[in-house]
Amino acid sequence: MTRKDAPTAAPARAITKEDVARAAGVSHITVSRVINTPEKVSPATRERVESFISSMGYIPNMLAGGLASRRTRIVAAIVPTISHSIFAETVRGLSEQLSLQGYQLLLGQTNYSEEAETGLVEAFIGRRVDGLVLTGVQHSARTRQRLKAAGIPVVETWDMSPQPIDMLVGFDNHAAGQAMGDYLVRKGYRRMAFVGGDDPRGLARFAGMRAALLAQGAPEPVHLVVPVGSFLQAGRETICRLLALQPDIEAAFFSNDVMAAGAALECARRGIAVPKRIALAGFANLEIATEVLPALTTVQISAHQIGLTAAEMLLTRFDGQTVPEPLCDLGYSILEREST
Amino acid sequence: MTRKDAPTAAPARAITKEDVARAAGVSHITVSRVINTPEKVSPATRERVESFISSMGYIPNMLAGGLASRRTRIVAAIVPTISHSIFAETVRGLSEQLSLQGYQLLLGQTNYSEEAETGLVEAFIGRRVDGLVLTGVQHSARTRQRLKAAGIPVVETWDMSPQPIDMLVGFDNHAAGQAMGDYLVRKGYRRMAFVGGDDPRGLARFAGMRAALLAQGAPEPVHLVVPVGSFLQAGRETICRLLALQPDIEAAFFSNDVMAAGAALECARRGIAVPKRIALAGFANLEIATEVLPALTTVQISAHQIGLTAAEMLLTRFDGQTVPEPLCDLGYSILEREST
């Protein structure tokens, strides 16, 4: 750390409603009325107080009672991590849509820990958020109980469940994995590997792929477990490990595009022909899947749309309306590119 | 959207302090005491009430007065975008460090718009955040006035300024650009290009590079402006545009690694030798800079550490202490790799 011309002190104390009242020569009740029920104040007084509010930079407390029916206009979102482009897109969608209606986003990261999720849910309820967005459909019993007791709208995302806590928008990870397994078998690959984390969504993708392979008489796929939220380097290391472990492997399906891209870059580095020597497939259709050499076959899902839809569901409920489709399956599709 | 077994209704109303009091057979004042001043309640009553609080899933309102000296324990961070790995790392650092002390993060995205920043600052002050983290050091006069009037700790990040609003942690974008310019000239490159957005930090990096080149007698660099927050595709398109525009170009410095990686992938695709035909350099030392072929020379900065340090500064001030170094320059360094 380098010390430069340090500012002399902390900022002055906050400008309060009382400061505005004093400057405008009115009571603080009048200031409150101008903010909350301006129609009950004479136009002259209103204009005068408003000009002091503006020139002094006073911003009314949105959390205080009487404003916006005690709502905080804050929504909390809990994601495994935002350092992973996939969830970042969902958060961006949420934030975009909510901000249009004057709602702000509290963000929590679990690092894929259920215990961390439980703690975050309690912290957010304690801050009286108007609604909560969760990732996935597996939660601790305590989280479920707390959410029920809080009585606020909840949207689960990124998976499907017949019994959501409240609302849900996502896609079926098992079916998506199965579709990729079917596709790879149809392309003629038999000896395959799955590379992914041990989070519920990664495991569901593997189970789906495995079911597709076994149903069509292909051999049991190799399952390489990597740390959750793995990136390029993990993909690079895993493809080396895989080729050493099982030299006759024909195709590898990675639980995310970033890992698959790392594998593609490593194959390029080592002169391993893709897809001739080994086919590679990813998940999510991130930008890197299109841009890497060769371009990656992947499972397209709607990360950004998940965020937008979750926000719309919450806004509908905040508005006192019923959400017509509280279980929204956005689906997935297989995008075939050069890597398979 | 696919409709499945829809949940029958919105969740029940929230469990209140009154519900707990009724169930435990005590007054709601007793419940409040158990939460706020447990030492004033008899151990038997306390245990009884606490067991109802727990079994009913009641979570006290952290925003109500009397708790934690009226603090919300919420910090707001405003970043240009989180879909860009660079700022995601800063947000991750902030969130990690704040959550250790029970603070949560409100997140705002400006899409590089000063007007959006002004609106977010007002919204966050209205929600009575305990502190605010801003990106960059250029803000509207209105933002500065509102922040001053709010009297809360503010940390600016990702740049340097002799006159910060309050506290600051970052690095000197002009000096970092200059260092890369010096490095490229020293490597023997003369005809160069800079590719970046027209945000203040991108422009400062360009100005620094240009100063280095002119000081050492190299020709005026080409300046290609791309949309702010550009990714792989922009890098790919820009390298094509650049080679068409100025076929004798020798080196290109991109304002972020993702764009530089896009350029490297395009060069590989088109058989353009890097660095022999054109040298490439990036900014930020993201994972992709190490993993792409060839690995990218880049400017290393401390995106994650910026988040950690900003959080530490705020926590120190929340604790009533003075921050010993309110201007913290984390510096930068040139990482030489295969692309130059």
Side-chain angles (χ1 to χ4, degrees):
Chain A
M1 296 200 183
T2 309
R3 178 142 195 173
K4 298 199 178 167
D5 323 88
T8 48
R13 67 175 184 79
I15 300 290
T16 63
K17 201 185 292 175
E18 285 69 27
D19 295 329
V20 175
R22 207 171 301 120
V26 298
S27 73
H28 70 93
I29 295 165
T30 303
V31 178
S32 293
R33 281 201 189 116
V34 169
I35 295 164
N36 297 317
T37 52
E39 69 282 2
K40 294 188 183 164
V41 186
S42 76
T45 305
R46 194 167 74 206
E47 251 177 54
R48 178 174 166 73
V49 171
E50 277 171 352
S51 86
F52 276 98
I53 287 176
S54 173
S55 68
M56 297 172 75
Y58 174 69
I59 298 176
N61 187 347
M62 289 282 296
L63 301 178
L67 274 177
S69 55
R70 289 192 176 274
R71 283 184 182 170
T72 54
R73 290 194 171 252
I74 292 176
V75 166
I78 301 178
V79 292
T81 165
I82 65 146
S83 300
H84 196 304
S85 330
I86 297 180
F87 299 115
E89 279 302 289
T90 296
V91 171
R92 185 169 69 89
L94 259 174
S95 163
E96 279 172 11
Q97 197 70 18
L98 290 172
S99 65
L100 291 179
Q101 303 291 327
Y103 284 78
Q104 302 297 338
L105 193 67
L106 257 177
L107 184 72
Q109 298 180 74
T110 63
N111 291 316
Y112 294 89
S113 150
E114 191 174 280
E115 196 187 332
E117 185 188 66
T118 304
L120 283 168
V121 165
E122 296 195 15
F124 291 152
I125 294 172
R127 282 167 184 79
R128 294 298 184 261
V129 296
D130 292 341
L132 246 163
V133 178
L134 304 175
T135 306
V137 296
Q138 293 197 8
H139 313 283
S140 68
R142 190 178 168 105
T143 293
R144 292 179 167 275
Q145 187 225 17
R146 291 299 189 260
L147 286 171
K148 213 175 153 171
I152 54 173
V154 174
V155 187
E156 290 166 283
T157 62
W158 275 81
D159 212 341
M160 277 288 127
S161 161
Q163 303 225 292
I165 296 172
D166 180 10
M167 299 178 282
L168 184 149
V169 51
F171 58 90
D172 185 328
N173 284 282
H174 188 279
Q178 197 159 15
M180 180 57 87
D182 279 335
Y183 163 80
L184 291 170
V185 169
R186 213 163 56 241
K187 290 286 286 187
Y189 302 109
R190 309 257 317 154
R191 285 179 300 280
M192 293 192 232
F194 177 86
V195 184
D198 62 354
D199 60 300
R201 292 168 299 285
L203 293 175
R205 289 168 206 163
F206 167 66
M209 179 210 200
R210 180 175 179 274
L213 267 53
L214 298 187
Q216 292 175 74
E220 183 79 37
V222 180
H223 185 188
L224 290 185
V225 177
V226 293
V228 282
S230 282
F231 297 120
L232 291 165
Q233 194 191 353
R236 189 156 60 76
E237 288 168 2
T238 312
I239 196 76
C240 296
R241 185 148 68 97
L242 181 63
L243 289 164
L245 193 76
Q246 186 158 344
D248 63 349
I249 197 87
E250 294 167 351
F253 174 28
F254 290 80
S255 196
N256 74 58
D257 283 337
V258 184
M259 272 197 294
L265 288 166
E266 181 65 14
C267 288
R269 202 179 295 267
R270 292 172 50 165
I272 298 164
V274 177
K276 200 155 187 248
R277 170 63 193 84
I278 185 165
L280 302 176
F283 196 98
N285 195 29
L286 302 182
E287 190 192 23
I288 202 166
T290 327
E291 298 292 335
V292 80
L293 274 178
L296 296 173
T297 294
T298 191
V299 181
Q300 175 166 41
I301 49 106
S302 313
H304 185 239
Q305 188 63 41
I306 287 174
L308 293 177
T309 308
E312 279 162 15
M313 287 173 160
L314 289 174
L315 292 168
T316 304
R317 286 277 284 277
F318 296 157
D319 206 29
Q321 309 292 312
T322 302
V323 172
E325 306 192 32
L327 270 85
C328 174
D329 185 346
L330 290 175
Y332 56 84
S333 58
I334 304 293
L335 290 187
E336 178 167 19
R337 297 207 185 94
E338 308 152 15
S339 69
T340 54
Chain B
M1 297 199 182
T2 309
R3 178 144 194 169
K4 297 198 176 168
D5 322 272
T8 47
R13 68 174 183 81
I15 300 290
T16 62
K17 201 185 292 177
E18 285 68 29
D19 295 329
V20 175
R22 205 171 302 119
V26 297
S27 73
H28 70 92
I29 294 165
T30 303
V31 178
S32 293
R33 282 200 188 118
V34 169
I35 294 165
N36 297 318
T37 52
E39 68 283 0
K40 294 188 183 165
V41 186
S42 76
T45 305
R46 194 166 74 206
E47 253 176 52
R48 179 175 166 72
V49 172
E50 276 171 352
S51 86
F52 276 98
I53 287 176
S54 172
S55 68
M56 296 172 74
Y58 174 69
I59 298 177
N61 186 347
M62 289 281 296
L63 299 180
L67 273 175
S69 55
R70 291 190 174 274
R71 284 186 183 168
T72 54
R73 289 195 170 255
I74 292 176
V75 166
I78 301 179
V79 292
T81 166
I82 66 147
S83 300
H84 196 305
S85 328
I86 297 181
F87 299 115
E89 279 302 290
T90 296
V91 171
R92 186 170 69 87
L94 258 176
S95 162
E96 279 172 11
Q97 196 69 18
L98 290 171
S99 66
L100 292 178
Q101 303 290 326
Y103 284 79
Q104 303 298 340
L105 193 68
L106 258 177
L107 185 71
Q109 298 180 76
T110 62
N111 292 316
Y112 294 88
S113 148
E114 192 175 278
E115 196 187 332
E117 184 188 67
T118 303
L120 284 167
V121 164
E122 295 195 16
F124 291 153
I125 293 172
R127 283 164 184 81
R128 294 299 183 259
V129 296
D130 292 341
L132 247 164
V133 178
L134 305 176
T135 306
V137 295
Q138 294 197 8
H139 313 285
S140 69
R142 190 178 168 106
T143 293
R144 292 180 168 272
Q145 188 225 16
R146 292 297 189 258
L147 287 171
K148 213 175 153 173
I152 55 172
V154 174
V155 187
E156 291 166 282
T157 61
W158 274 82
D159 211 340
M160 278 289 126
S161 160
Q163 302 224 294
I165 296 173
D166 179 10
M167 298 179 282
L168 184 151
V169 50
F171 58 89
D172 185 329
N173 284 283
H174 189 280
Q178 197 160 14
M180 180 58 87
D182 279 334
Y183 162 81
L184 291 170
V185 170
R186 215 165 53 242
K187 290 287 284 187
Y189 303 109
R190 308 258 316 156
R191 286 179 299 280
M192 295 192 230
F194 177 87
V195 184
D198 61 354
D199 60 301
R201 293 168 297 289
L203 292 177
R205 289 169 206 161
F206 166 66
M209 180 212 199
R210 179 174 179 275
L213 267 52
L214 298 188
Q216 292 174 74
E220 184 79 34
V222 178
H223 186 189
L224 290 184
V225 176
V226 293
V228 282
S230 283
F231 296 121
L232 290 166
Q233 194 190 351
R236 188 157 60 75
E237 288 169 0
T238 311
I239 196 77
C240 297
R241 185 148 66 96
L242 181 61
L243 289 164
L245 194 74
Q246 185 158 348
D248 63 348
I249 197 89
E250 295 168 350
F253 174 29
F254 290 81
S255 196
N256 75 58
D257 283 338
V258 183
M259 271 197 293
L265 288 166
E266 180 65 16
C267 287
R269 202 179 294 266
R270 293 171 50 163
I272 298 165
V274 176
K276 200 157 184 252
R277 169 64 193 83
I278 185 165
L280 302 176
F283 197 98
N285 195 29
L286 301 181
E287 191 193 23
I288 203 166
T290 327
E291 299 293 335
V292 80
L293 274 176
L296 296 173
T297 294
T298 190
V299 180
Q300 175 168 41
I301 49 102
S302 313
H304 185 241
Q305 188 63 41
I306 287 173
L308 293 177
T309 308
E312 279 162 16
M313 287 173 161
L314 290 174
L315 292 168
T316 303
R317 286 275 284 277
F318 296 158
D319 207 28
Q321 309 291 312
T322 302
V323 172
E325 306 193 29
L327 269 85
C328 176
D329 184 347
L330 291 174
Y332 57 84
S333 57
I334 304 294
L335 290 186
E336 178 166 18
R337 296 207 185 94
E338 306 152 15
S339 68
T340 54

